[in-house]
Amino acid sequence: MKQSAVDLILRGDRYIVRVTELGKVTEQDFSGIHFALSWASGQSVRLGLKTPNPSAFNSEA
């Protein structure tokens, strides 16, 4: 399991930002890609990680 990570997920028509911090996973749901990317960027900075690329959204059924 990742200690800290920010993952971008496309789930249907929703954009999900999954934050893993010290093994604890939380998800934030967004209707717009720009809001999701902004949130993901902020979480990445907070955790000291590389900022996610917009093309990094993984599709999830």
Side-chain angles (χ1 to χ4, degrees):
M1 180 182 288
K2 300 177 187 177
Q3 282 293 324
S4 295
V6 176
D7 298 303
L8 305 171
I9 301 163
L10 180 58
R11 188 179 293 153
D13 63 348
R14 306 295 292 180
Y15 298 92
I16 311 300
V17 178
R18 181 180 292 153
V19 178
T20 305
E21 183 174 7
L22 301 174
K24 180 181 176 191
V25 178
T26 58
E27 291 186 348
Q28 186 71 33
D29 180 289
F30 298 91
S31 61
I33 190 171
H34 293 99
F35 295 117
L37 290 172
S38 179
W39 178 262
S41 178
Q43 294 303 302
S44 295
V45 168
R46 184 178 69 79
L47 294 171
L49 303 171
K50 182 179 172 187
T51 302
N53 184 320
S55 64
F57 273 99
N58 298 312
S59 293
E60 190 175 85

